[in-house]
Amino acid sequence: MYSTNNFGKTVSEIRIENPSVVKKEIMASLAQQLSALRWSPLPSTSSSRPTTAHNRRTRTLLPVVCSVALSNAQNRERVKLKELFEQAYERCRTAPMEGVSFTVDQFTEALEKYDFDSEVGTKIKGTVFAVDASGAYVDVTAKSTAYLPLQEACIHRIKHVQAAGIVPGLREEFVVIGENEVDDGLILSLKAIEFDLAWERCRQLQAEDAVVKGKIVNGNKGGLVAEVEGLKGFVPFSQISSKLSGEELLEKELPLKFMEVDEEQSRLILSHRKAAADSQGQLGIGSVVTGTVQSLKPYGAFVDIGGISGLLHVSQISHDRITDIASVLQPGDILKVMILSHDRERGRVSLSTKKLEPTPGDMIRNPKLVFEKAEEMAQTFRQRIAQAEAMARADMLRFQPEVS
């Protein structure tokens, strides 16, 4: 009888009594040895042992046996995975929260922190993480990145978002103004929030009857357009107290007061006349103020003194005769002038630099000295005025008839 201990012997050395039994025993022996990964390597083609019929049959059987062994290993792995899955399914069905470190309520609460209303007009918090030439990318903990366009970054016109202080790392409150149809990302705005704050600020200033500075940026037949607190307001010509034309006032700043502030109707009506009246009330004869030359005329120069346009007549520039004003003054020159007269009803202010000259002609030869000595010379002028008024009162009392 053939024994498995005879494996390794050549076919000629084996006594075969029953070929079918021998075949089964050979396959069983091979499977046992392959499963333990202990079989000897196949002899190389360079072996000196000649190829026999036994070698050829053995090589034919090895792939079949290896395939059977691998298939059995895969089946065992599948069975193991199936058992793990069934165990996990059973745990989820009978004890779903077993081994979980938080409750369902805690999980729901955590989700609500990141759940926000993305409707237009909703305010949300976000963090800028990148910027480009067209705007900024904002993380709002949504499924898609939100975007802040350049034109929505600031109430003023800017060329890049960095000019408005928008840089990576900035955390700010934004308002949703739309949605990107491509990736459902939100479109955000800071300008809308700044507009709301600007209207609120204007309402406060109107309630305080405050005077504000406004830059004239445009004009039409009815008046001028001024920019105040980032908003565009209208100044009717009837509310402008200046001798300058609308074109001459462009790009200049004027003191203004609020006449009407209506956010719903987007109406912002301003008055230069009211602001000028307040400033004029502070002007006293003989006081020295700093002004800017606005324009030159053949008869003198118009000087802006805090939003009020005063006339520096050619005869009040210097004690010396001046034939060409442009040889002494130019538009944009900053100078000190003295209030010579003030007609509040007509809104006219007369100015003088001649009264500030230490010696006649200094305004032509050495204007810097005139400005340095301006307060001193004005004080002397006021003293002379006070003495003249005192003498006038004394004369009135002297000639006043006695009461019997």
Side-chain angles (χ1 to χ4, degrees):
M1 179 66 66
Y2 175 80
S3 173
T4 55
N5 292 330
N6 293 325
F7 181 75
K9 297 180 181 180
T10 62
V11 175
S12 59
E13 296 173 322
I14 300 174
R15 181 185 174 189
I16 300 176
E17 297 180 358
N18 190 337
S20 61
V21 174
V22 172
K23 183 178 180 179
K24 290 180 181 180
E25 289 184 356
I26 290 174
M27 291 182 66
S29 176
L30 287 172
Q32 181 180 357
Q33 294 186 42
L34 286 172
S35 63
L37 300 177
R38 294 175 181 175
W39 66 82
S40 302
L42 292 174
S44 61
T45 55
S46 60
S47 174
S48 58
R49 179 180 295 179
T51 301
T52 63
H54 168 71
N55 296 139
R56 287 192 295 270
R57 284 195 297 272
T58 301
R59 291 176 184 175
T60 304
L61 291 173
L62 281 176
V64 177
V65 175
C66 291
S67 175
V68 172
L70 292 175
S71 177
N72 290 339
Q74 291 174 350
N75 289 335
R76 286 195 296 272
E77 187 67 22
R78 291 193 186 96
V79 171
K80 184 177 180 180
L81 290 174
K82 181 180 179 182
E83 291 176 353
L84 291 174
F85 176 79
E86 290 175 348
Q87 293 172 4
Y89 173 78
E90 187 65 20
R91 284 197 304 271
C92 291
R93 189 179 66 83
T94 58
M97 299 304 296
E98 181 181 352
V100 179
S101 59
F102 52 85
T103 64
V104 175
D105 293 339
Q106 291 173 333
F107 180 70
T108 304
E109 182 180 353
L111 288 179
E112 289 176 353
K113 291 181 180 179
Y114 297 95
D115 186 24
F116 55 85
D117 186 5
S118 60
E119 294 294 327
V120 172
T122 303
K123 292 182 179 180
I124 58 175
K125 289 277 189 178
T127 302
V128 177
F129 66 89
V131 298
D132 59 17
S134 302
Y137 297 90
V138 184
D139 178 15
V140 292
T141 65
K143 61 181 180 181
S144 299
T145 297
Y147 192 69
L148 175 70
L150 175 62
Q151 64 270 20
E152 293 294 332
C154 184
I155 197 172
H156 303 286
R157 287 186 177 182
I158 54 177
K159 295 183 178 180
H160 46 79
V161 294
Q162 291 92 332
I166 300 172
V167 295
L170 174 69
R171 183 164 179 79
E172 190 59 84
E173 184 177 55
F174 303 86
V175 62
V176 179
I177 61 171
E179 187 174 291
N180 191 328
E181 296 180 357
V182 177
D183 60 357
D184 296 331
L186 300 179
I187 301 176
L188 308 178
S189 174
L190 280 176
K191 183 171 71 173
I193 295 178
E194 292 181 356
F195 266 125
D196 291 341
L197 294 175
W199 280 105
E200 180 62 29
R201 176 63 176 160
C202 288
R203 285 191 290 268
Q204 292 177 355
L205 292 171
Q206 183 188 31
E208 297 169 2
D209 197 29
V211 176
V212 298
K213 286 285 187 179
K215 184 178 181 180
I216 305 301
V217 296
N218 205 344
N220 52 42
K221 293 181 179 180
L224 301 175
V225 178
E227 186 175 288
V228 178
E229 298 291 328
L231 301 176
K232 299 293 192 303
F234 183 67
V235 189
F237 280 128
S238 61
Q239 293 297 323
I240 295 176
S241 177
S242 175
K243 302 300 181 183
L244 300 180
S245 65
E247 291 183 357
E248 291 174 318
L249 289 173
L250 283 177
E251 299 301 318
K252 290 183 171 58
E253 286 191 343
L254 294 178
L256 302 168
K257 274 194 170 186
F258 295 95
M259 294 180 63
E260 183 179 352
V261 179
D262 188 344
E263 183 178 1
E264 292 184 0
Q265 300 295 326
S266 295
R267 285 173 58 86
L268 188 64
I269 309 299
L270 307 164
S271 173
H272 173 242
R273 187 176 295 278
K274 286 187 174 183
D278 281 4
S279 300
Q280 289 174 4
Q282 301 172 2
L283 299 178
I285 305 302
S287 59
V288 176
V289 295
T290 300
T292 304
V293 177
Q294 292 180 313
S295 64
L296 301 179
K297 303 295 180 182
Y299 50 84
F302 284 99
V303 182
D304 176 22
I305 49 174
I308 303 171
S309 184
L311 174 63
L312 177 60
H313 196 271
V314 64
S315 63
Q316 287 295 327
I317 296 176
S318 177
H319 285 85
D320 288 1
R321 187 172 180 271
I322 296 175
T323 57
D324 182 14
I325 299 177
S327 64
V328 182
L329 300 174
Q330 287 293 321
D333 286 351
I334 298 176
L335 61 159
K336 287 186 177 181
V337 294
M338 188 180 72
I339 306 298
L340 197 61
S341 67
H342 182 197
D343 186 346
R344 288 183 173 83
E345 291 183 359
R346 302 176 66 180
R348 292 182 178 179
V349 180
S350 296
L351 309 173
S352 176
T353 54
K354 181 171 73 173
K355 302 296 185 184
L356 302 178
E357 288 182 322
T359 56
D362 281 344
M363 190 61 195
I364 299 174
R365 294 185 296 271
N366 190 3
K368 184 178 180 181
L369 177 63
V370 176
F371 302 149
E372 290 177 352
K373 298 287 186 179
E375 293 293 345
E376 182 181 335
M377 297 303 297
Q379 179 65 24
T380 302
F381 176 80
R382 288 192 293 269
Q383 289 175 354
R384 290 201 300 264
I385 294 295
Q387 291 174 359
E389 290 177 349
M391 293 177 63
R393 285 194 297 270
D395 290 341
M396 289 178 63
L397 291 173
R398 189 190 317 157
F399 293 103
Q400 188 173 9
E402 295 181 1
V403 179
S404 56

